[in-house]
Amino acid sequence: MSDSINRSDSYVELRNINKHFKDFHATKDANISIKKGKLVALLGPSGSGKTTILRMIAGLEQPDSGEILIDGKVVNNVPGSERGIGFVFQSYALFRYQTVYENIAFGLRVKKVPEKEIKKRVSELLTLISCEGLENRYPSQLSGGQRQRVAFARALAPNPQILLLDEPFAAIDAKVRLELRTWLKEMITKIGITSIFVTHDQDEAIEVADEIIVTNQGRVEQSGTPQELYSRPKTEFVAKFLGNSTVVQNFERFKYFEKQDEDVTAILRPEFVSIYKKDENVQFVRSVEEATVEDIIFRGSNMEIKVKLHGNLISALRSINDPIIEVGEKVNVFIYRLFVISRDKVELIHNLSLKQETVVI
Ligand SMILES: Nc1ncnc2c1ncn2[C@@H]1O[C@H](COP(=O)(O)OP(=O)(O)OP(=O)(O)O)[C@@H](O)[C@H]1O
Ligand SMILES: [Mg+2]
């Protein structure tokens, strides 16, 4: 095996990786490039191959073809234990019959680090994860959030160059999960370690990651910053998967949208739509359409209003401070823009009246 020269500035790189489990093609020609110090999310539905990718990077699974590079070196034949990787597993990975101290010390003992140094490092890590004083507890005596932080400290103990986290918050309840997200981002930024975490929760990926890699059926669909993926999806899958997207039929019946040449699918997001009461002032008064409210969902900080328009159920958000709208009420709907998809190309098209009214003004 020859080392290849790293021409790009990637720190972790997958080149044309394929992986089968018997006849099942779990990873299909995956190309991934991650820069040093970045926090990257692997986001995709269940079974899309996220864990498989992580396990191949960690050396727990061998690809059938393609190359894995770390810091410019091909590591396909380097054992996992020599790749400088820390791994936080999908299911709880703490040893139940060992104390917090022993759990964190685990990787250091494997490396035969002297006891004095172990003590110092464990103590440092306990401070880092705000779990001082818990070293003699067993995992069953910790909260879910504390357990995950200990799992994080254990992965960090041997000073890895790369940290892999497989759905680190999956087993945690909603509120603690939110706190841990922020905590993890702060920790990783502070330590500056290149990290890849797996999630199937898009909010988590969007909030936490510098960059997102979207997986679908073993393929990498798209990668980029959260903003890029959210506002410029390149494939139908990404456009539908991100945001609270709904597919709309016969959108050419919507007022003020340019006709498309062929049969296309359109995708709407709530933020592309505004809904007004009939007596509310509307800027684009000529371009609104009347619809009836089918459903209203209280979302805490705002209300989701669902209306039927040309056979489509579409959503918009309204502030709780706006005049109240009720189910069955006739309302005005204005659609600012939508994604249209033809031959798996995604294009954002705008309501024509946005241009026209600017001219009038
Ligand atoms: N050891 C294995 N043997 C056979 N099939 C496997 C094996 N590991 C994974 N698979 C299959 O490969 C596909 C991808 O699995 P993987 O665990 O990577 O998905 P995932 O994206 O992590 O899903 P989840 O979000 O549910 O954890 C799945 O269909 C899974 O059943
Ligand atoms: Mg998984």
Side-chain angles (χ1 to χ4, degrees), residues 6-43:
N6 193 15
R7 287 178 204 91
S8 63
D9 55 354
S10 333
Y11 191 64
V12 180
E13 200 177 345
L14 268 64
R15 290 187 188 161
N16 309 103
I17 291 289
N18 281 283
K19 174 73 185 170
H20 289 80
F21 292 108
K22 296 212 176 87
D23 293 341
F24 185 77
H25 204 170
T27 307
K28 298 172 184 160
D29 212 26
N31 286 284
I32 287 176
S33 159
I34 295 168
K35 293 192 181 74
K36 198 175 172 84
K38 292 283 179 205
L39 171 54
V40 174
L42 268 178
L43 171 71

Short mmCIF file of all heavy atoms in Angstrom, two decimals, residues 6-43:
data_model
loop_
_atom_site.label_atom_id
_atom_site.label_comp_id
_atom_site.label_asym_id
_atom_site.label_seq_id
_atom_site.Cartn_x
_atom_site.Cartn_y
_atom_site.Cartn_z
N ASN A 6 -1.71 14.19 0.12
CA ASN A 6 -2.94 14.92 0.36
C ASN A 6 -2.92 16.25 -0.38
O ASN A 6 -2.27 17.19 0.03
CB ASN A 6 -3.11 15.16 1.86
CG ASN A 6 -4.50 15.61 2.19
OD1 ASN A 6 -5.41 15.48 1.36
ND2 ASN A 6 -4.67 16.12 3.38
N ARG A 7 -3.64 16.30 -1.50
CA ARG A 7 -3.61 17.52 -2.30
C ARG A 7 -4.62 18.55 -1.80
O ARG A 7 -4.50 19.72 -2.02
CB ARG A 7 -3.89 17.20 -3.76
CG ARG A 7 -2.72 16.51 -4.42
CD ARG A 7 -3.03 16.14 -5.86
NE ARG A 7 -2.18 15.04 -6.26
CZ ARG A 7 -2.52 13.78 -6.14
NH1 ARG A 7 -3.68 13.44 -5.63
NH2 ARG A 7 -1.70 12.82 -6.50
N SER A 8 -5.64 18.05 -1.13
CA SER A 8 -6.64 18.99 -0.64
C SER A 8 -6.30 19.31 0.82
O SER A 8 -5.31 18.86 1.34
CB SER A 8 -8.02 18.35 -0.72
OG SER A 8 -8.04 17.22 0.12
N ASP A 9 -7.16 20.12 1.44
CA ASP A 9 -6.90 20.39 2.85
C ASP A 9 -7.81 19.54 3.74
O ASP A 9 -8.11 19.91 4.86
CB ASP A 9 -7.03 21.89 3.16
CG ASP A 9 -8.38 22.43 2.73
OD1 ASP A 9 -9.15 21.67 2.10
OD2 ASP A 9 -8.66 23.61 3.03
N SER A 10 -8.23 18.39 3.24
CA SER A 10 -9.08 17.53 4.08
C SER A 10 -8.25 16.83 5.14
O SER A 10 -7.10 16.46 4.91
CB SER A 10 -9.74 16.41 3.29
OG SER A 10 -9.91 16.74 1.99
N TYR A 11 -8.89 16.64 6.26
CA TYR A 11 -8.23 15.90 7.34
C TYR A 11 -8.74 14.46 7.35
O TYR A 11 -7.97 13.52 7.52
CB TYR A 11 -8.51 16.59 8.67
CG TYR A 11 -7.65 16.04 9.78
CD1 TYR A 11 -6.27 16.18 9.71
CD2 TYR A 11 -8.22 15.37 10.86
CE1 TYR A 11 -5.46 15.67 10.71
CE2 TYR A 11 -7.42 14.86 11.86
CZ TYR A 11 -6.04 15.01 11.79
OH TYR A 11 -5.25 14.50 12.76
N VAL A 12 -10.04 14.32 7.16
CA VAL A 12 -10.64 12.99 7.00
C VAL A 12 -11.26 12.94 5.61
O VAL A 12 -12.00 13.84 5.24
CB VAL A 12 -11.74 12.73 8.05
CG1 VAL A 12 -12.34 11.35 7.86
CG2 VAL A 12 -11.18 12.89 9.46
N GLU A 13 -10.92 11.91 4.86
CA GLU A 13 -11.43 11.86 3.50
C GLU A 13 -11.84 10.44 3.13
O GLU A 13 -11.12 9.48 3.42
CB GLU A 13 -10.35 12.36 2.55
CG GLU A 13 -10.90 12.78 1.22
CD GLU A 13 -9.83 13.34 0.28
OE1 GLU A 13 -8.71 13.68 0.75
OE2 GLU A 13 -10.12 13.42 -0.92
N LEU A 14 -13.00 10.31 2.50
CA LEU A 14 -13.42 9.03 1.95
C LEU A 14 -13.46 9.20 0.43
O LEU A 14 -14.06 10.16 -0.07
CB LEU A 14 -14.84 8.65 2.43
CG LEU A 14 -14.91 7.79 3.70
CD1 LEU A 14 -14.34 8.55 4.88
CD2 LEU A 14 -16.35 7.38 3.99
N ARG A 15 -12.80 8.27 -0.27
CA ARG A 15 -12.78 8.35 -1.74
C ARG A 15 -13.42 7.11 -2.33
O ARG A 15 -12.89 6.01 -2.15
CB ARG A 15 -11.34 8.45 -2.25
CG ARG A 15 -10.69 9.78 -1.92
CD ARG A 15 -9.34 9.87 -2.61
NE ARG A 15 -8.63 11.05 -2.15
CZ ARG A 15 -7.33 11.23 -2.27
NH1 ARG A 15 -6.58 10.29 -2.84
NH2 ARG A 15 -6.76 12.34 -1.83
N ASN A 16 -14.52 7.31 -2.99
CA ASN A 16 -15.23 6.23 -3.70
C ASN A 16 -15.39 4.97 -2.87
O ASN A 16 -15.04 3.87 -3.30
CB ASN A 16 -14.50 5.88 -5.01
CG ASN A 16 -14.23 7.12 -5.84
OD1 ASN A 16 -13.11 7.62 -5.88
ND2 ASN A 16 -15.28 7.64 -6.44
N ILE A 17 -15.92 5.16 -1.68
CA ILE A 17 -16.05 4.02 -0.75
C ILE A 17 -17.32 3.22 -1.04
O ILE A 17 -18.41 3.77 -1.16
CB ILE A 17 -16.07 4.53 0.71
CG1 ILE A 17 -14.70 5.08 1.11
CG2 ILE A 17 -16.52 3.45 1.68
CD1 ILE A 17 -13.61 4.06 1.28
N ASN A 18 -17.15 1.91 -1.15
CA ASN A 18 -18.28 0.99 -1.27
C ASN A 18 -18.21 -0.04 -0.18
O ASN A 18 -17.12 -0.48 0.21
CB ASN A 18 -18.24 0.28 -2.62
CG ASN A 18 -18.76 1.18 -3.72
OD1 ASN A 18 -19.97 1.36 -3.87
ND2 ASN A 18 -17.85 1.77 -4.49
N LYS A 19 -19.39 -0.42 0.31
CA LYS A 19 -19.45 -1.46 1.33
C LYS A 19 -20.71 -2.30 1.15
O LYS A 19 -21.81 -1.76 1.02
CB LYS A 19 -19.46 -0.80 2.73
CG LYS A 19 -19.66 -1.76 3.87
CD LYS A 19 -18.42 -2.57 4.11
CE LYS A 19 -18.63 -3.63 5.18
NZ LYS A 19 -17.49 -4.57 5.23
N HIS A 20 -20.53 -3.60 1.08
CA HIS A 20 -21.67 -4.53 1.04
C HIS A 20 -21.74 -5.33 2.32
O HIS A 20 -20.72 -5.68 2.88
CB HIS A 20 -21.53 -5.54 -0.12
CG HIS A 20 -21.71 -4.93 -1.47
ND1 HIS A 20 -20.71 -4.23 -2.11
CD2 HIS A 20 -22.77 -4.93 -2.31
CE1 HIS A 20 -21.16 -3.82 -3.30
NE2 HIS A 20 -22.42 -4.23 -3.43
N PHE A 21 -22.97 -5.62 2.75
CA PHE A 21 -23.16 -6.67 3.75
C PHE A 21 -23.87 -7.79 2.98
O PHE A 21 -25.03 -7.65 2.63
CB PHE A 21 -24.04 -6.18 4.90
CG PHE A 21 -23.37 -5.12 5.74
CD1 PHE A 21 -23.80 -3.80 5.68
CD2 PHE A 21 -22.30 -5.44 6.57
CE1 PHE A 21 -23.19 -2.82 6.44
CE2 PHE A 21 -21.68 -4.46 7.35
CZ PHE A 21 -22.12 -3.14 7.28
N LYS A 22 -23.15 -8.82 2.65
CA LYS A 22 -23.63 -9.86 1.73
C LYS A 22 -24.10 -9.17 0.43
O LYS A 22 -23.31 -8.50 -0.20
CB LYS A 22 -24.72 -10.72 2.37
CG LYS A 22 -24.23 -11.51 3.57
CD LYS A 22 -24.97 -12.83 3.70
CE LYS A 22 -24.41 -13.66 4.82
NZ LYS A 22 -25.01 -13.34 6.13
N ASP A 23 -25.41 -9.30 0.08
CA ASP A 23 -25.87 -8.69 -1.17
C ASP A 23 -26.27 -7.23 -1.00
O ASP A 23 -26.55 -6.54 -1.97
CB ASP A 23 -27.13 -9.43 -1.69
CG ASP A 23 -26.79 -10.82 -2.12
OD1 ASP A 23 -25.58 -11.08 -2.35
OD2 ASP A 23 -27.71 -11.66 -2.21
N PHE A 24 -26.32 -6.79 0.25
CA PHE A 24 -26.86 -5.45 0.51
C PHE A 24 -25.79 -4.38 0.35
O PHE A 24 -24.75 -4.42 1.00
CB PHE A 24 -27.48 -5.41 1.91
CG PHE A 24 -28.15 -4.12 2.19
CD1 PHE A 24 -29.39 -3.82 1.65
CD2 PHE A 24 -27.52 -3.15 2.98
CE1 PHE A 24 -30.01 -2.61 1.88
CE2 PHE A 24 -28.13 -1.93 3.22
CZ PHE A 24 -29.38 -1.67 2.68
N HIS A 25 -26.07 -3.42 -0.52
CA HIS A 25 -25.10 -2.35 -0.80
C HIS A 25 -25.31 -1.21 0.20
O HIS A 25 -26.16 -0.34 -0.03
CB HIS A 25 -25.32 -1.87 -2.24
CG HIS A 25 -24.11 -1.23 -2.85
ND1 HIS A 25 -24.03 -0.92 -4.18
CD2 HIS A 25 -22.93 -0.84 -2.31
CE1 HIS A 25 -22.85 -0.35 -4.43
NE2 HIS A 25 -22.17 -0.30 -3.31
N ALA A 26 -24.57 -1.22 1.28
CA ALA A 26 -24.83 -0.29 2.39
C ALA A 26 -24.19 1.08 2.19
O ALA A 26 -24.70 2.08 2.67
CB ALA A 26 -24.35 -0.90 3.70
N THR A 27 -23.04 1.12 1.48
CA THR A 27 -22.40 2.41 1.17
C THR A 27 -22.08 2.41 -0.33
O THR A 27 -21.43 1.49 -0.82
CB THR A 27 -21.11 2.61 1.99
OG1 THR A 27 -21.41 2.42 3.36
CG2 THR A 27 -20.53 4.01 1.80
N LYS A 28 -22.59 3.45 -1.02
CA LYS A 28 -22.48 3.45 -2.48
C LYS A 28 -21.60 4.61 -2.96
O LYS A 28 -22.03 5.76 -2.96
CB LYS A 28 -23.87 3.58 -3.11
CG LYS A 28 -24.79 2.41 -2.76
CD LYS A 28 -26.21 2.69 -3.24
CE LYS A 28 -27.15 1.58 -2.80
NZ LYS A 28 -28.55 2.00 -2.82
N ASP A 29 -20.38 4.28 -3.30
CA ASP A 29 -19.48 5.24 -3.92
C ASP A 29 -19.43 6.57 -3.15
O ASP A 29 -19.56 7.64 -3.73
CB ASP A 29 -19.96 5.50 -5.35
CG ASP A 29 -18.78 5.79 -6.26
OD1 ASP A 29 -17.67 5.33 -5.93
OD2 ASP A 29 -18.97 6.50 -7.27
N ALA A 30 -19.22 6.47 -1.85
CA ALA A 30 -19.27 7.67 -1.01
C ALA A 30 -17.98 8.46 -1.08
O ALA A 30 -16.88 7.91 -0.99
CB ALA A 30 -19.56 7.27 0.44
N ASN A 31 -18.13 9.77 -1.26
CA ASN A 31 -17.00 10.70 -1.22
C ASN A 31 -17.29 11.74 -0.14
O ASN A 31 -18.32 12.39 -0.18
CB ASN A 31 -16.82 11.39 -2.56
CG ASN A 31 -16.21 10.46 -3.59
OD1 ASN A 31 -15.02 10.18 -3.55
ND2 ASN A 31 -17.05 9.93 -4.46
N ILE A 32 -16.36 11.83 0.79
CA ILE A 32 -16.55 12.76 1.91
C ILE A 32 -15.23 13.45 2.16
O ILE A 32 -14.17 12.82 2.05
CB ILE A 32 -16.99 11.97 3.17
CG1 ILE A 32 -18.44 11.52 3.03
CG2 ILE A 32 -16.80 12.79 4.45
CD1 ILE A 32 -18.92 10.65 4.19
N SER A 33 -15.30 14.73 2.50
CA SER A 33 -14.07 15.45 2.80
C SER A 33 -14.32 16.38 3.98
O SER A 33 -15.24 17.20 3.95
CB SER A 33 -13.66 16.24 1.55
OG SER A 33 -12.80 17.27 1.91
N ILE A 34 -13.53 16.20 5.02
CA ILE A 34 -13.75 16.97 6.25
C ILE A 34 -12.46 17.68 6.63
O ILE A 34 -11.39 17.08 6.70
CB ILE A 34 -14.22 16.03 7.38
CG1 ILE A 34 -15.58 15.44 7.01
CG2 ILE A 34 -14.27 16.75 8.73
CD1 ILE A 34 -16.02 14.29 7.88
N LYS A 35 -12.58 18.98 6.87
CA LYS A 35 -11.39 19.77 7.23
C LYS A 35 -11.07 19.63 8.71
O LYS A 35 -11.95 19.36 9.52
CB LYS A 35 -11.63 21.24 6.89
CG LYS A 35 -11.73 21.50 5.42
CD LYS A 35 -11.67 23.01 5.15
CE LYS A 35 -11.81 23.30 3.68
NZ LYS A 35 -13.18 23.11 3.18
N LYS A 36 -9.82 19.88 9.02
CA LYS A 36 -9.36 19.75 10.41
C LYS A 36 -10.13 20.71 11.32
O LYS A 36 -10.37 21.86 10.96
CB LYS A 36 -7.87 20.07 10.47
CG LYS A 36 -7.19 19.57 11.72
CD LYS A 36 -5.68 19.82 11.63
CE LYS A 36 -5.02 19.52 12.95
NZ LYS A 36 -4.69 18.14 13.15
N GLY A 37 -10.50 20.21 12.47
CA GLY A 37 -11.14 21.04 13.49
C GLY A 37 -12.63 21.27 13.29
O GLY A 37 -13.26 21.94 14.10
N LYS A 38 -13.19 20.72 12.22
CA LYS A 38 -14.63 20.95 11.97
C LYS A 38 -15.50 19.97 12.74
O LYS A 38 -15.07 18.86 13.06
CB LYS A 38 -14.94 20.79 10.47
CG LYS A 38 -14.33 21.85 9.60
CD LYS A 38 -15.11 23.14 9.69
CE LYS A 38 -14.46 24.21 8.83
NZ LYS A 38 -14.76 25.55 9.27
N LEU A 39 -16.71 20.43 13.00
CA LEU A 39 -17.72 19.57 13.60
C LEU A 39 -18.75 19.28 12.51
O LEU A 39 -19.45 20.17 12.03
CB LEU A 39 -18.37 20.28 14.79
CG LEU A 39 -19.59 19.63 15.43
CD1 LEU A 39 -19.31 18.19 15.84
CD2 LEU A 39 -20.02 20.41 16.67
N VAL A 40 -18.78 18.03 12.09
CA VAL A 40 -19.59 17.66 10.92
C VAL A 40 -20.69 16.69 11.33
O VAL A 40 -20.45 15.77 12.12
CB VAL A 40 -18.68 17.02 9.85
CG1 VAL A 40 -19.49 16.49 8.69
CG2 VAL A 40 -17.65 18.03 9.36
N ALA A 41 -21.89 16.90 10.81
CA ALA A 41 -22.99 15.98 11.10
C ALA A 41 -23.25 15.08 9.90
O ALA A 41 -23.26 15.53 8.76
CB ALA A 41 -24.26 16.77 11.41
N LEU A 42 -23.42 13.79 10.18
CA LEU A 42 -23.90 12.86 9.16
C LEU A 42 -25.38 12.72 9.42
O LEU A 42 -25.79 12.18 10.44
CB LEU A 42 -23.25 11.49 9.36
CG LEU A 42 -21.97 11.14 8.63
CD1 LEU A 42 -21.51 9.76 9.04
CD2 LEU A 42 -22.18 11.20 7.13
N LEU A 43 -26.18 13.22 8.49
CA LEU A 43 -27.63 13.29 8.71
C LEU A 43 -28.35 12.45 7.65
O LEU A 43 -28.08 12.59 6.46
CB LEU A 43 -28.07 14.75 8.60
CG LEU A 43 -29.56 15.06 8.60
CD1 LEU A 43 -30.17 14.81 9.97
CD2 LEU A 43 -29.82 16.51 8.18
#
